[in-house]
Amino acid sequence: MEKRKHIVIVGGGFAGLQLDKILDKGAKYQITLVDMNNYNFFPPLLYQLATGFMEPSSISYPFRRLLRHRKNTNFRMGALQSVVPAEHKIILSNGELHYDILVIATGAETNFFGNKNVEEKAMPMKTVGDALMLRNLVYTRLERATRTDDKEYRRKLLSFAIAGAGPTGVELSGTFAEMKQNIIKKDYPELSHEDLGDIYLIDGQQTVLAPMSEKAQRYTETVLRKKGVKLKLGVFVKDFVNDEVLLSDGTVVDARNLIWAAGVAAKTFDGIDAPEHLGRGRRMKVDAFNKMEGYEDIYAIGDASIMTTDPAFPQGHPQQAQVAIQQAKNLAENLNREMQDPKPFIYDDKGSMAIIGRNQAVADLPRHIFLKGFPAWFIWVFIHIMSLVNFKNKVRTFYNWVGYYLSKDQSYRMVLRPNEKAKG
């Protein structure tokens, strides 16, 4: 039997898993899926893990269990460190892999824009580990607040500044506001409502949810203000010093907690990180077929790539799950045809959504359809449940949401501090 080409896919997120799924069925290639974690997770619901509304197993699933029935795929746990194109190999944190075709689907990481204080002290929201650390922080702060008689210190402990008014920032601020109203007053009788501090949502744009429609923006701002969220728009975080968030207009937000949801940048790797190969946000420049510029056998998809050949998106596509999934499908079809008469990628924009709170969401759908409130919330819930990778994840998430919807409460408010002994 003729030896099949070896495709290495680095990154098991939306793009990587979708690509592997289609290529595995085609059976034309031997595939190795590489990821720094041994599990896939669902980034849009990290904020619910961070606020104690979900357990980690609701939004994550082990790769080896997921790939058990994909006969043409092997899994390798390891972090990509560098690429050696001349030798057709990649260097991982725990060894090397040779490839015939390499696909980079490593997504994006938090961008602190060079601010060292923010990078050191703020809480990012990109990984399951980030979400669990934030959950620990929130509930540790609440416990500490019950032990002090200093009202000013207590308010600072329980004030949260969220940088970035995109979907993640809006979802976090809305959820924190609902926690103040429905949960904290029941679990922490030692704290009065005045002790709970303020929730600030900060963004350099003049509105929240900048990429969405004006109707979505206006509705979201109205709902957040009714929930008590303080909006700081048209300014950005300049520094985070002595438990104070310094803004670009000279004002100071007196909050001990800064959550960073203000920007992302693609991960870069030695060997393919020359400036001429990188575009905005350090994303790898690719042609209409997701082939990385300057290489014949290296491709990049999803958040790791930037493509300027799509007529509707001359500055590159938004870094969203649907772009990653559609690029993976298109590349898989082209690779299964061995790039004979390849089809260029054209993004089919299916719209944008954001949840603000219980029964409250916004949706910009195709044909200029705008939904808000319960209808948008219901669609958001349905789409996110169906997007989870496994039936058990879907059931757990549905159960959690039904429980919260009926009781306005949740039960995953444990402070967990695993030790650092188990390292690969």
Side-chain angles (χ1 to χ4, degrees):
M1 186 176 181
E2 185 179 352
K3 184 179 179 181
R4 294 177 295 175
K5 287 186 175 181
H6 182 210
I7 292 184
V8 174
I9 303 171
V10 184
F14 291 113
L17 272 186
Q18 183 67 48
L19 179 65
D20 176 75
K21 180 180 179 180
I22 300 173
L23 291 178
D24 187 88
K25 288 181 180 178
K28 293 179 70 70
Y29 300 97
Q30 182 60 44
I31 308 162
T32 300
L33 179 66
V34 177
D35 199 281
M36 63 186 296
N37 300 307
N38 76 332
Y39 58 88
N40 165 271
F41 68 95
F42 191 65
L45 295 181
L46 281 176
Y47 81 96
Q48 296 221 351
L49 176 58
T51 50
F53 282 76
M54 282 189 178
E55 57 182 330
S57 59
S58 295
I59 66 167
S60 56
Y61 201 73
F63 280 120
R64 291 192 177 275
R65 177 67 182 87
L66 191 63
L67 302 175
R68 185 179 294 176
H69 300 294
R70 299 187 187 182
K71 302 302 182 183
N72 302 295
T73 301
N74 295 316
F75 175 72
R76 174 73 173 266
M77 181 178 171
L80 177 61
Q81 295 182 338
S82 64
V83 180
V84 187
E87 300 180 35
H88 282 72
K89 72 177 183 180
I90 59 175
I91 310 299
L92 303 176
S93 56
N94 50 18
E96 301 179 355
L97 271 179
H98 287 265
Y99 64 84
D100 294 305
I101 297 172
L102 174 64
V103 182
I104 306 293
T106 46
E109 60 187 0
T110 304
N111 186 1
F112 295 100
F113 303 101
N115 192 314
K116 296 301 181 183
N117 282 332
V118 171
E119 184 174 357
E120 179 182 345
K121 301 173 183 177
M123 298 295 295
M125 272 290 294
K126 288 299 293 180
T127 68
V128 170
D130 293 340
L132 289 175
M133 283 198 302
L134 179 55
R135 187 178 76 180
N136 286 346
L137 177 77
V138 170
Y139 292 105
T140 300
R141 292 282 196 260
L142 283 163
E143 293 295 337
R144 186 176 299 175
T146 65
R147 303 194 302 267
T148 180
D149 295 324
D150 187 333
K151 287 185 175 292
E152 183 177 345
Y153 179 60
R154 189 182 295 166
R155 281 188 60 83
K156 178 177 283 192
L157 275 174
L158 301 182
S159 289
F160 290 83
I162 302 167
T168 299
V170 166
E171 290 158 358
L172 272 172
S173 57
T175 301
F176 280 144
E178 290 190 349
M179 286 173 60
K180 286 177 62 175
Q181 296 169 0
N182 302 322
I183 295 171
I184 294 176
K185 66 180 181 181
K186 292 185 291 186
D187 280 10
Y188 298 87
E190 304 96 323
L191 304 175
S192 66
H193 185 75
E194 290 73 24
D195 291 329
L196 298 185
D198 296 310
I199 300 166
Y200 299 90
L201 184 59
I202 305 162
D203 199 283
Q205 302 281 351
Q206 295 294 333
T207 181
V208 302
L209 300 176
M212 297 189 70
S213 67
E214 290 186 12
K215 290 181 180 179
Q217 294 164 0
R218 288 196 300 269
Y219 177 79
T220 301
E221 289 185 16
T222 299
V223 171
L224 288 175
R225 286 194 170 100
K226 286 182 178 179
K227 289 178 178 291
V229 177
K230 296 186 176 181
L231 302 181
K232 298 283 188 179
L233 303 175
V235 295
F236 58 86
V237 174
K238 188 176 180 181
D239 211 342
F240 186 33
V241 182
N242 298 326
D243 298 334
E244 293 180 336
V245 181
L246 311 182
L247 303 183
S248 58
D249 64 353
T251 59
V252 176
V253 172
D254 198 20
R256 192 166 186 180
N257 313 287
L258 174 62
I259 302 170
W260 194 258
V264 296
K267 299 177 182 178
T268 57
F269 306 99
D270 291 343
I272 54 172
D273 60 348
E276 62 269 23
H277 297 318
L278 303 180
R280 181 168 51 87
R282 302 203 305 259
R283 297 157 75 181
M284 301 172 194
K285 294 180 182 178
V286 297
D287 64 13
F289 313 105
N290 282 98
K291 182 185 292 184
M292 189 172 173
E293 292 184 2
Y295 302 97
E296 285 301 315
D297 45 24
I298 301 178
Y299 297 82
I301 54 178
D303 290 356
S305 69
I306 184 165
M307 177 189 297
T308 58
T309 56
D310 190 337
F313 299 90
Q315 302 302 316
H317 300 97
Q319 290 172 286
Q320 296 176 351
Q322 270 301 315
V323 175
I325 291 169
Q326 291 181 33
Q327 285 187 346
K329 289 179 178 178
N330 189 74
L331 179 58
E333 292 172 3
N334 287 336
L335 288 173
N336 276 331
R337 294 198 301 269
E338 298 182 354
M339 301 304 288
Q340 298 297 316
D341 191 24
K343 176 184 175 183
F345 177 71
I346 301 294
Y347 177 47
D348 179 15
D349 190 352
K350 299 182 182 297
S352 302
M353 308 186 72
I355 191 171
I356 313 165
R358 184 176 179 271
N359 286 341
Q360 295 163 323
V362 288
D364 288 332
L365 304 179
R367 299 181 182 179
H368 304 289
I369 297 173
F370 169 69
L371 297 177
K372 64 180 181 180
F374 179 80
W377 178 85
F378 182 82
I379 294 174
W380 185 95
V381 167
F382 176 79
I383 289 176
H384 281 70
I385 287 178
M386 296 308 297
S387 297
L388 292 166
V389 298
N390 178 268
F391 179 74
K392 288 183 179 179
N393 291 130
K394 293 178 172 67
V395 171
R396 287 193 187 105
T397 300
F398 180 73
Y399 174 80
N400 288 336
W401 282 344
V402 168
Y404 174 66
Y405 187 83
L406 296 176
S407 67
K408 297 184 181 180
D409 203 348
Q410 34 83 340
S411 57
Y412 301 111
R413 299 193 287 276
M414 292 81 72
V415 176
L416 303 175
R417 297 190 181 96
N419 62 42
E420 294 294 320
K421 289 183 180 180
K423 291 184 179 182

